Amino acid sequence: MISANNVTLRLGKKALFEDVNIKFTEGNCYGLIGANGAGKSTFLKILSGQLETTKGDVSITPGQRLSVLEQDHFKYDEYTVLDTVIMGNKRLYEIMKEKEAIYAKADFTDEDGIRASELECEFAEMNGWEAESDAATLLNGLGIETDLHYAVMKNLNGNEKVKVLLARALFGNPDILLLDEPTNHLDMDAIEWLEEFLINFNNTVIVVSHDRYFLNKVCTYTADIDYGKIQLYAGNYDFWYESSQLLIKQMKEANKKKEEKIKELQEFISRFSANASKSKQATSRKRALEKIQLDDMRPSSRKYPYIDFRPNREIGNEVLMVENLSKTINGEKVLDNISFTLGHNDKVAFVGSNELAKTTLFQILMGEMEPDEGNYKWGVTTSQAYFPKDSTHEFDNDLTIADWLTQYSEIKDATYVRGFLGRMLFAGEDGVKKVRVLSGGEKVRCLLSKMMISGANTLILDEPTNHLDMESITALNNGLIKYPGVILFASHDHQFVQTTANRIMEIMPGGALIDKITTYDEYLASDEMARKRQVYTLKEVDN
């Protein structure tokens, strides 16, 4: 068990947390939620001891081991992948290295023998002989192939490092597991594997995530951070949302009844306080009035942007025709003879683990890259707006937010442009902030403003939910659901894909395409998906 006892954290004059008391018990998975800036990651750092509190303390059941998902992707660059994972259990790794050092000695003494024997006993008690196989199982489950297990971390790409660091956090059955955005940069298969791992994990888990489907799948409790307090709800994210909305409704109704009672008492007191025969009753009602207190209806710190994509022109029947597209990058064939045709009602989700293939296809369709073979043709009635996975170049300038958006607007009126910024929560002086200094979430909201102001009838979005908080993801999700145009998008957010797409395309390793008119859940349950998974299972067995 881990608990926060009267925890207060002040940053200057601002109190991020104020007298927080909460217990996290064994056998439960807690989803830690709250608006951007509410302090979710900060609270995890307090629990892990990485951050000192202003007041109060954190207590852990004696003898229990706490494990944290590391955020520094370069910290273990000089270590092998397997060593990095095993280092998740610090004591076990220390024993392994001390044993190696003793056995490597040329002048092995009696004292060395005694020490080695002690270490071997402790090593066996910690299941040390299974350490490498356990680490390999975690890595394989997350999609890190066996031939990478002995590679040095610095030779891995960013997504592979994320998976290794996650395996490191999960290694050795920790008693308390703290995970900050564990699904970021994971493909759908890895997320599904992690979901099953956490569902079957018997110890304490505290997780921060913006993935609603993930939280609904794994969480038994939801801890909501709002205005420096943490309210605990039994149940997953959807249950929290329904419960919190019901609580607000009940408080409003209770306040309404109290206000009616207050008005009734005030009228009686006003009418009869000067009447001698009614004076006792008036006095009694004054006492009753003093006892009535309205519930504090402090508004939530959550803010939802207003995302509404409105095409300037209705799209025709001919949208996009792709014929025999092929592309090889750095010796890897990422697109292999791909062909498909889009209709005017299509909302297509590109899924699967082949990240490079999806991004490459989008870049080709937007004219940013040439295919090696094949061609594509957009319909004459179409206009496209693009959300790239890497938008660094968009913000490498000294423009203010307002000026940056104005350059993409046909109407240059400042009030018109600021209206779009206001919808995306850029209010007042925010418009004069330089785009160069914006946070990841702010840059995403700028790009979505750009797409809204374009009036395009075809949207291409490559991982648009990265860096967004739950409220913005919900707003974007709802905006795309009601959008009357065509959408091509890639996302690792299960609920986002399931509720938006009516057609699923998966670019397989090697570049071939699976194309199904179906929902995402139906696609995952399909026979073809099962056959695909069987092929990869057999491939792993062969390896």
Side-chain angles (χ1 to χ4, degrees):
M1 184 184 77
I2 182 170
S3 62
N5 311 302
N6 296 314
V7 164
T8 296
L9 178 67
R10 294 188 176 278
L11 303 175
K13 294 182 179 179
K14 180 184 177 184
L16 192 58
F17 296 106
E18 193 79 55
D19 294 325
V20 170
N21 289 282
I22 189 169
K23 291 181 180 179
F24 303 98
T25 58
E26 186 177 341
N28 288 303
C29 180
Y30 297 83
L32 193 61
I33 64 171
N36 270 5
K40 300 183 293 293
S41 297
T42 301
F43 190 69
L44 286 189
K45 288 179 180 177
I46 290 173
L47 292 178
S48 67
Q50 298 175 55
L51 198 61
E52 291 278 339
T53 62
T54 306
K55 189 182 78 171
D57 59 66
V58 172
S59 59
I60 298 175
T61 301
Q64 291 198 336
R65 184 170 70 86
L66 182 145
S67 184
V68 179
L69 175 58
E70 297 271 4
Q71 302 296 322
D72 184 352
H73 296 175
F74 305 100
K75 185 174 180 179
Y76 303 97
D77 270 1
E78 302 307 315
Y79 296 90
T80 66
V81 168
L82 270 178
D83 273 359
T84 301
V85 174
I86 295 171
M87 288 167 71
N89 189 332
K90 183 180 178 182
R91 179 55 189 156
L92 179 62
Y93 185 76
E94 288 172 349
I95 292 171
M96 290 175 64
K97 291 305 167 183
E98 189 176 349
K99 276 176 39 181
E100 289 176 10
I102 289 174
Y103 292 138
K105 283 185 175 183
D107 53 343
F108 192 86
T109 65
D110 290 343
E111 288 78 9
D112 289 331
I114 293 170
R115 180 57 181 160
S117 177
E118 292 172 348
L119 291 172
E120 290 291 3
C121 288
E122 191 176 354
F123 186 70
E125 287 174 0
M126 299 179 73
N127 295 321
W129 297 112
E130 287 79 42
E132 287 200 5
S133 62
D134 288 347
T137 299
L138 292 172
L139 290 166
N140 289 333
L142 288 166
I144 299 296
E145 299 293 337
T146 304
D147 58 358
L148 286 178
H149 292 186
Y150 292 94
V152 178
M153 284 287 285
K154 66 182 177 184
N155 295 330
L156 272 59
N157 64 39
N159 288 353
E160 290 167 341
K161 284 184 176 181
V162 167
K163 291 180 177 182
V164 175
L165 292 177
L166 180 54
R168 179 187 183 280
L170 303 179
F171 176 75
N173 195 37
D175 300 289
I176 300 162
L177 185 56
L178 306 183
L179 301 175
D180 193 354
E181 297 292 357
T183 62
N184 276 5
H185 309 293
L186 293 188
D187 55 72
M188 291 288 197
D189 289 339
I191 293 173
E192 185 176 343
W193 180 90
L194 179 60
E195 288 168 355
E196 291 303 314
F197 180 93
L198 294 179
I199 287 169
N200 295 312
F201 188 71
N202 293 322
N203 298 333
T204 305
V205 183
I206 306 171
V207 58
V208 172
S209 177
H210 290 145
D211 188 328
R212 297 161 294 174
Y213 183 88
F214 177 76
L215 291 176
N216 280 330
K217 199 85 183 283
V218 305
C219 292
T220 55
Y221 284 87
T222 300
D224 178 32
I225 301 178
D226 209 354
Y227 285 110
K229 301 292 183 183
I230 301 182
Q231 180 72 37
L232 194 61
Y233 295 80
N236 61 18
Y237 178 80
D238 279 352
F239 186 83
W240 161 79
Y241 184 79
E242 291 170 6
S243 298
S244 60
Q245 294 304 303
L246 178 61
L247 182 62
I248 291 171
K249 181 181 178 182
Q250 289 174 338
M251 289 174 68
K252 285 181 177 178
E253 289 175 351
N255 274 354
K256 184 178 180 181
K257 289 180 180 178
K258 288 178 182 178
E259 286 169 351
E260 290 172 353
K261 186 65 175 178
I262 288 170
K263 185 178 179 182
E264 177 189 323
L265 292 173
Q266 287 175 335
E267 287 177 351
F268 185 92
I269 294 165
S270 175
R271 185 176 176 185
F272 295 110
S273 59
N275 188 320
S277 64
K278 299 278 190 178
S279 62
K280 286 187 178 181
Q281 293 179 29
T283 301
S284 174
R285 281 167 173 72
K286 282 182 182 179
R287 294 195 193 99
L289 181 61
E290 290 169 358
K291 292 178 181 178
I292 297 176
Q293 290 187 343
L294 295 177
D295 292 323
D296 184 9
M297 293 291 292
R298 190 176 188 182
S300 172
S301 58
R302 289 179 170 82
K303 294 181 179 179
Y304 289 83
Y306 178 69
I307 299 178
D308 187 19
F309 302 103
R310 296 184 182 181
N312 292 334
R313 180 181 185 181
E314 187 175 345
I315 201 165
N317 290 326
E318 294 182 3
V319 178
L320 174 65
M321 184 169 64
V322 174
E323 292 184 324
N324 310 119
L325 277 188
S326 293
K327 184 69 178 180
T328 299
I329 297 178
N330 297 328
E332 177 187 354
K333 195 152 197 175
V334 294
L335 301 176
D336 185 14
N337 201 34
I338 282 179
S339 298
F340 61 87
T341 301
L342 292 188
H344 66 280
N345 292 319
D346 283 336
K347 294 184 178 182
V348 185
F350 288 82
V351 302
S353 60
N354 202 337
E355 303 294 316
L356 180 58
K358 290 178 272 189
T359 297
T360 299
L361 176 61
F362 291 161
Q363 289 177 332
I364 289 173
L365 295 179
M366 289 305 298
E368 294 184 357
M369 183 184 292
E370 289 294 323
D372 296 334
E373 298 173 24
N375 57 76
Y376 65 94
K377 183 180 179 182
W378 287 103
V380 293
T381 63
T382 64
S383 55
Q384 299 82 37
Y386 179 42
F387 183 104
K389 179 180 285 188
D390 183 2
S391 60
T392 306
H393 65 283
E394 288 269 12
F395 302 99
D396 188 18
N397 57 71
D398 291 316
L399 293 175
T400 65
I401 296 176
D403 289 340
W404 178 88
L405 186 58
T406 300
Q407 66 182 334
Y408 298 111
S409 175
E410 291 184 6
I411 300 172
K412 303 301 180 182
D413 178 69
T415 302
Y416 176 79
V417 172
R418 283 183 177 271
F420 283 89
L421 291 175
R423 294 177 192 174
M424 297 306 294
L425 307 180
F426 294 111
E429 295 301 314
D430 286 339
V432 299
K433 284 176 70 173
K434 298 290 181 68
V435 294
R436 190 187 297 277
V437 301
L438 296 179
S439 67
E442 288 172 327
K443 287 177 179 177
V444 171
R445 287 188 275 123
C446 278
L447 290 171
L448 294 175
S449 298
K450 174 186 172 184
M451 297 183 80
M452 284 194 292
I453 211 168
S454 73
N457 55 26
T458 305
L459 306 179
I460 300 179
L461 305 104
D462 196 355
E463 300 293 348
T465 61
N466 289 353
H467 306 293
L468 289 182
D469 59 17
M470 199 85 76
E471 293 70 42
S472 297
I473 291 172
T474 301
L476 175 59
N477 197 171
N478 292 337
L480 292 179
I481 289 170
K482 68 180 183 180
Y483 176 63
V486 170
I487 307 172
L488 297 84
F489 72 101
S491 174
H492 293 150
D493 188 313
H494 187 120
Q495 187 167 338
F496 190 84
V497 175
Q498 170 62 18
T499 55
T500 303
N502 56 25
R503 185 172 176 181
I504 303 295
M505 294 190 189
E506 180 170 3
I507 305 173
M508 305 294 292
L513 181 72
I514 296 175
D515 181 4
K516 294 287 184 181
I517 298 176
T518 182
T519 66
Y520 184 54
D521 283 344
E522 290 169 343
Y523 176 72
L524 291 177
S526 68
D527 291 341
E528 189 155 4
M529 190 67 180
R531 284 198 300 273
K532 185 195 85 168
R533 287 181 170 173
Q534 186 178 25
V535 167
Y536 282 99
T537 302
L538 291 172
K539 182 180 176 184
E540 286 180 8
V541 171
D542 290 341
N543 289 338

